[in-house]
Amino acid sequence: MSTTSIRTTSTSANSTLGQTMSEHLRWAEWNAIGTTIRLVVTDPTQLESARAMLTDDLAALDLACSRFRSDSELMRLEVRAGQPTTVSALLAGAVRAALRGAQLTDGLVDPTVGRAMETIGYDRDFASVPAQGGALRVTVSHIPQWRQIQLDDSANLLTVPAGVRLDLGATAKAWAADRSAEGIARVLDCGVLVSLGGDIAVAGEVPPGGWSIRVQDITGDPSTPAQGPSDLIAIREGGLATSSTSARRWHRGGDLLHHILDPRTGRPADSDWRTVSVAAGSALDANIASTAAIIRGKSATGWLARLGLPARLVAVNGAVTTLAGWPEVSS
Amino acid sequence: MSGSPTSGSARRTARDKGLAWVSAITLGAGAASAIGAVAIAAALPSTSAATSASSGTAASSVSTSSNEDDSGSTLAAAPAPATSNIPPVATTGAS
């Protein structure tokens, strides 16, 4: 199959549409929810409709779940701290996904890290976080924990204790990728790939050869060569996610900080791995596994192998380890 | 509030008793003694606290068992990726 870039059309200052890889695949890319969105469909005639659906989905997600917007449902919930509150199905779903992550990782992926994340400086859209800053002295005065979050599934009744700020970012993007990919494929009856900052979900018709995806340290333009070790793989279903300490990093007082917090310490994980990619039955589960693997460090290899999750782990020195059937094709 | 770092065993004991832990974590060499260092109250999640029966907090509606075999109680696997010689349509990495 040849790669012929037939057309790339600029539709706005930060958005592109185009055709790539196959005459039958069309893509669009733009920025939203603080990250890069990439959408690929197998039916060229459905790209605009798919894009409209995904745009609406992401706007709703942001309004429900952002901890950076005072008008988000998540932040407005704080005035009712400690009280059961009926929330939207969207917020309930995102919280449910986050609790699933906490449950299945014994709390290593914990949505109650919101305050701790703010303390180390990640308190606004990452693009606005100062790259440099003075040393922080952090005083811990309260210990929240995911089991304190109560969610009554039958009524979407959510209780968040006072003082606890949820950070759904670790799982909400992946969950949203799954949700949107499935919704678009069902409504438009075509194959769909949704990538929200590298958390990838696929649904519907599979293109010939599968969905070809390059795995690398930092998400980027697939037409541009990767920096560092990379793999070119194809998936046909489910999801693929990568967690890495190579991006969303900033300095405070000479320390290099990043966005993957170890809930056991409240500090950025001091991991043996700089990047972990996992293929799973959904983008959500891939994201949960890749994030937990970064926090677990060395023991991640045994854990992922026991779960049977194909994974690729890049050590801090760049050495690549593959597990559970992940193809050994590093370049 | 602020305090001095103490031993891990004392921290564990406090958590086992369901007590809030107060400690100082300094980020940056020498910052602990820096005049004007800002003390910040932080919410520190704790796996230890999570499992403390004395916390008196209700568990979420999500099952806490990790050994159940229904699809909701384990991370769902998928067929392993295949090698590809087709130019990529997307990349996955940190963002």
Side-chain angles (χ1 to χ4, degrees):
Chain A
M1 191 173 299
S2 64
T3 303
T4 304
S5 183
I6 294 177
R7 187 178 68 235
T8 299
T9 305
S10 198
T11 57
S12 71
N14 62 353
S15 174
T16 54
L17 294 172
Q19 179 167 327
T20 185
M21 190 180 126
S22 149
E23 292 182 359
H24 303 292
L25 295 180
R26 286 284 180 106
W27 57 268
E29 187 170 300
W30 67 98
N31 295 318
I33 60 169
T35 194
T36 301
I37 313 301
R38 190 169 179 90
L39 169 69
V40 188
V41 295
T42 57
D43 181 347
T45 67
Q46 299 288 11
L47 181 60
E48 284 298 346
S49 297
R51 179 183 167 141
M53 291 178 68
L54 183 54
T55 299
D56 288 348
D57 285 352
L58 297 180
L61 180 77
D62 198 49
L63 189 57
C65 301
S66 176
R67 68 181 172 94
F68 305 131
R69 292 177 57 163
S70 60
D71 64 340
S72 74
E73 187 179 7
L74 180 71
M75 297 303 285
R76 286 188 286 112
L77 190 65
E78 291 190 358
V79 301
R80 291 183 52 81
Q83 304 172 62
T85 303
T86 301
V87 299
S88 67
L90 193 58
L91 180 56
V95 171
R96 192 175 300 117
L99 294 177
R100 173 180 169 78
Q103 176 204 342
L104 297 180
T105 62
D106 292 329
L108 289 183
V109 181
D110 189 323
T112 65
V113 297
R115 296 282 185 197
M117 198 74 84
E118 292 175 356
T119 297
I120 64 168
Y122 193 0
D123 58 358
R124 64 202 74 182
D125 273 331
F126 188 76
S128 303
V129 173
Q132 302 285 337
L136 299 175
R137 187 179 183 191
V138 179
T139 299
V140 176
S141 60
H142 180 65
I143 303 172
Q145 194 276 332
W146 68 275
R147 291 184 193 277
Q148 296 183 17
I149 308 303
Q150 300 175 54
L151 177 63
D152 179 340
D153 282 324
S154 61
N156 289 344
L157 208 55
L158 177 62
T159 307
V160 179
V164 175
R165 177 157 294 171
L166 297 180
D167 176 12
L168 303 176
T171 50
K173 278 191 304 182
W175 173 75
D178 289 325
R179 184 172 174 273
S180 290
E182 290 168 10
I184 293 168
R186 183 177 62 251
V187 171
L188 301 181
D189 193 24
C190 65
V192 180
L193 177 150
V194 172
S195 171
L196 306 184
D199 288 339
I200 294 176
V202 299
E205 177 191 4
V206 181
W211 295 101
S212 185
I213 298 164
R214 193 172 64 215
V215 182
Q216 54 196 50
D217 278 332
I218 297 177
T219 297
D221 182 346
S223 66
T224 303
Q227 301 293 314
S230 65
D231 281 0
L232 187 57
I233 62 165
I235 63 172
R236 303 181 66 83
E237 60 184 276
L240 182 62
T242 296
S243 296
S244 177
T245 61
S246 300
R248 294 188 192 249
R249 304 195 298 180
W250 62 100
H251 287 86
R252 291 293 179 271
D255 278 351
L256 178 61
L257 307 178
H258 61 78
H259 69 294
I260 302 177
L261 282 190
D262 184 340
R264 299 166 298 188
T265 65
R267 298 184 60 173
D270 182 15
S271 184
D272 300 283
W273 314 108
R274 74 182 192 208
T275 301
V276 177
S277 302
V278 176
S282 66
L284 173 62
D285 282 8
N287 176 285
I288 291 169
S290 63
T291 304
I294 290 280
I295 298 169
R296 275 180 170 270
K298 277 191 172 63
S299 69
T301 52
W303 181 68
L304 290 165
R306 284 193 298 277
L307 291 169
L309 295 175
R312 173 183 182 272
L313 302 91
V314 183
V316 173
N317 67 3
V320 175
T321 299
T322 57
L323 297 170
W326 187 285
E328 296 182 23
V329 291
S330 290
S331 59
Chain B
M1 280 189 292
S2 65
S4 300
T6 54
S7 71
S9 61
R11 182 195 304 251
R12 284 192 295 275
T13 300
R15 285 177 175 165
D16 289 344
K17 292 179 178 177
L19 303 175
W21 177 250
V22 180
S23 69
I25 302 170
T26 301
L27 305 180
S33 59
I35 296 174
V38 178
I40 304 169
L44 174 61
S46 163
T47 301
S48 302
T51 56
S52 172
S54 61
S55 67
T57 56
S60 80
S61 60
V62 178
S63 166
T64 57
S65 169
S66 59
N67 296 315
E68 296 170 14
D69 60 0
D70 63 274
S71 61
S73 62
T74 188
L75 294 170
T83 56
S84 176
N85 57 8
I86 302 169
V89 291
T91 65
T92 182
S95 65

